[in-house]
Amino acid sequence: MTKLACVVLCAGQGTRMKSSRSKMVQTCLEKPLCRWSLDVASSLDPEHLLAVVGFQQEQVRLVLPDSAQTVVQSQQLGTGHALQQAFRALEKSFSGAVMVLYGDTPLIRAETLRQLLDSLQGNEMAMLTSFVQNPRGYGRIIRDNSGLLCGVVEEKEATLEQRAIAEINSGIYVFRTDFLLKHLFKLTNNNYQQEYYLTDLVACAAGSVATVLVDEAETLGVNDYTQLAYAESVLRQRINTHWMRQGVQMVDPVSTYIGPDVTIEPDTFIEPGVQISGKTRIETGARIKAYSVIEESEIGAGTQVGPFAHLRSGSRLGEKCKIGNFVETKKASFKKGSKVNHLAYIGDAEVGEFCNIGAGTITCNYDGTRKHSIQVEDGVFVGSNSTLIAPVKLGKGSYVGAGSVVTQDVPAQALALGRARQVNKEGRMKKNN
């Protein structure tokens, strides 16, 4: 198998974003934009993964994977110049293929890159091209009458006739190492931009260039927030399609948000408006009702969440639990069969099996300095509008009366009443009427 080095270009500023931050660190579906290209490159199992950084390199370095070697392009003098810096960083003994990707193309697929790599066989280089409706800003693919690739011309240097060409250069290439050794450092900057173009290597390959046609959306470069939103919508659609094909039912995939690190088992049912993010795991038969928000949580088999529930980071629901409407949980675990049906906040708590926590119940887990935990053992019933002041333990089978403020441990099988005594003043209201 051919050895592979992947170079991801992450040095540009991205001025069209009109942001003070590098576009490489802008968030696209929970990940920094450049991580999509780096992660798909990593999936090819390259011997070397290099990220070329430049603008705000300190911030960009913070979001790179540990497996990526950084290469600094102190001056942004074009794609050819960027690859020169990366090529110098490779081991002198490296021999194989060098793939070049951009850090702002989050929609490129691993299978497409594998097809590109396969097309290098017998050629000096290979490149991805697309037919687009609006080719403005892209380099155009020039072919002869027989359809063979002749070259690539950048838009600013193209004639009006060439600008009408709809086939564009995606900027994603793979080269043979020996070819780069011969030609990469001979590139010149005799062009409008005074930059070193990788496209000039097409002429050096003397017809030994393979092209792989790919859908326009897959090679989209993100240059502004409109394109960023579009890219995220495509990624969301891909993720939702994947899970539906794995046996997950979604009432309205368009309004359903599922992050890239979420895992869902078959026979899960998801209603409209649901947002699921982080490394959330949902087991078979769960039902996620409308407009629930789930972050970094675990949901057991047959459990129901929502509608309008919020599971914050660290929530763990066991089998056949129920977290109902307008319930918020945070760093809380619930064992089999436990329920919080509505209008409650449960944080920093461990809830046992078959507990019932009534409406309006609040766990007071923060004293202004530290977080404290609450332990609720199996079979506990907490009445509505109760306040549990941490740290406190509710023993097995205990019962908390509605409206109670619990500040001390409750023994097993005990009834806890922690509310003010009701006093009725007979006839008092007649004096006020």
Side-chain angles (χ1 to χ4, degrees):
M1 184 176 180
T2 302
K3 291 183 178 180
L4 177 65
C6 290
V7 179
V8 182
L9 307 185
C10 305
Q13 181 175 354
T15 55
R16 280 177 281 179
M17 281 279 187
K18 294 182 172 60
S19 171
S20 60
R21 298 186 301 148
S22 164
K23 72 175 177 179
M24 296 299 154
V25 302
Q26 301 283 343
T27 301
C28 180
L29 198 66
E30 300 184 22
K31 296 201 297 188
L33 180 60
C34 65
R35 282 299 298 265
W36 288 96
S37 295
L38 286 157
D39 289 349
V40 75
S42 295
S43 71
L44 303 178
D45 195 26
E47 188 169 308
H48 298 279
L49 177 63
L50 299 95
V52 180
V53 299
F55 178 73
Q56 292 187 350
Q57 59 176 283
E58 295 82 7
Q59 287 75 24
V60 176
R61 286 174 187 267
L62 292 175
V63 303
L64 298 178
D66 294 338
S67 58
Q69 175 185 349
T70 55
V71 177
V72 177
Q73 185 187 21
S74 55
Q75 291 181 288
Q76 280 72 66
L77 300 178
T79 54
H81 179 256
L83 183 56
Q84 288 173 353
Q85 313 314 305
F87 198 74
R88 288 190 179 101
L90 284 175
E91 298 172 1
K92 291 183 179 180
S93 60
F94 177 76
S95 178
V98 177
M99 183 176 290
V100 180
L101 304 90
Y102 289 90
D104 64 354
T105 54
L107 302 181
I108 193 68
R109 297 174 185 264
E111 51 265 38
T112 299
L113 297 181
R114 292 190 185 97
Q115 185 181 358
L116 178 67
L117 187 59
D118 290 343
S119 71
L120 185 62
Q121 301 298 322
N123 293 289
E124 301 284 12
M125 63 178 286
M127 57 193 297
L128 294 181
T129 72
S130 298
F131 282 95
V132 300
Q133 293 183 345
N134 180 11
R136 183 179 178 182
Y138 290 100
R140 307 304 202 276
I141 299 296
I142 309 300
R143 297 184 182 273
D144 61 22
N145 292 333
S146 63
L148 294 177
L149 179 67
C150 298
V152 180
V153 60
E154 299 300 325
E155 183 174 84
K156 291 182 178 180
E157 297 168 4
T159 64
L160 288 176
E161 183 180 5
Q162 290 171 334
R163 290 185 182 186
I165 296 172
E167 188 180 9
I168 59 93
N169 170 32
S170 73
I172 298 175
Y173 313 90
V174 61
F175 304 94
R176 292 175 58 90
T177 307
D178 52 1
F179 171 76
L180 290 178
L181 281 170
K182 292 178 184 177
H183 302 287
L184 179 60
F185 294 95
K186 295 179 182 179
L187 293 175
T188 62
N189 63 345
N190 299 323
N191 51 64
Y192 180 85
Q193 294 285 94
Q194 292 190 316
E195 293 182 349
Y196 299 89
Y197 293 154
L198 282 178
T199 50
D200 290 345
L201 292 175
V202 173
C204 300
S208 184
V209 184
T211 59
V212 176
L213 187 64
V214 65
D215 183 74
E216 172 184 0
E218 196 166 341
T219 59
L220 171 76
V222 172
N223 295 302
D224 57 35
Y225 286 115
T226 300
Q227 292 175 326
L228 183 66
Y230 172 75
E232 185 163 308
S233 70
V234 173
L235 290 168
R236 286 173 52 198
Q237 182 183 36
R238 287 182 185 176
I239 290 171
N240 290 357
T241 299
H242 165 78
W243 289 119
M244 287 188 288
R245 288 175 175 165
Q246 297 299 311
V248 175
Q249 184 176 357
M250 298 181 196
V251 176
D252 183 15
V254 174
S255 69
T256 300
Y257 177 104
I258 299 175
D261 295 325
V262 174
T263 57
I264 311 175
E265 292 185 357
D267 292 322
T268 295
F269 186 89
I270 300 176
E271 295 185 5
V274 169
Q275 298 182 42
I276 309 172
S277 61
K279 294 182 179 180
T280 293
R281 176 177 175 80
I282 302 176
E283 295 183 0
T284 186
R287 186 182 185 99
I288 314 300
K289 304 193 78 173
Y291 301 103
S292 294
V293 177
I294 301 168
E295 306 163 349
E296 294 277 353
S297 298
E298 298 176 9
I299 299 174
T303 286
Q304 177 177 307
V305 176
F308 296 99
H310 186 185
L311 305 188
R312 292 166 57 191
S313 180
S315 297
R316 302 186 306 277
L317 312 182
E319 181 183 354
K320 295 183 179 179
C321 291
K322 183 179 180 183
I323 302 297
N325 47 311
F326 302 104
V327 172
E328 180 180 356
T329 67
K330 189 272 297 182
K331 202 176 180 181
S333 64
F334 299 81
K335 292 185 178 179
K336 181 179 180 180
S338 288
K339 299 178 181 180
V340 190
N341 283 316
H342 37 225
L343 302 164
Y345 169 71
I346 309 298
D348 293 281
E350 295 182 9
V351 180
E353 293 185 351
F354 301 106
C355 295
N356 188 92
I357 298 177
T361 297
I362 299 295
T363 58
C364 301
N365 52 317
Y366 182 53
D367 63 8
T369 303
R370 294 177 300 167
K371 296 287 182 71
H372 301 277
S373 62
I374 291 173
Q375 185 175 356
V376 181
E377 295 188 338
D378 296 347
V380 169
F381 186 99
V382 179
S384 298
N385 203 35
S386 294
T387 303
L388 310 179
I389 311 294
V392 71
K393 175 181 177 180
L394 308 185
K396 185 175 182 179
S398 61
Y399 192 111
V400 176
S404 293
V405 177
V406 179
T407 59
Q408 300 177 14
D409 289 353
V410 179
Q413 306 299 325
L415 169 63
L417 297 171
R419 58 195 183 213
R421 183 176 180 180
Q422 181 175 328
V423 177
N424 296 330
K425 301 292 185 179
E426 296 290 343
R428 174 65 62 88
M429 296 313 296
K430 289 182 180 180
K431 298 178 182 179
N432 298 329
N433 294 330

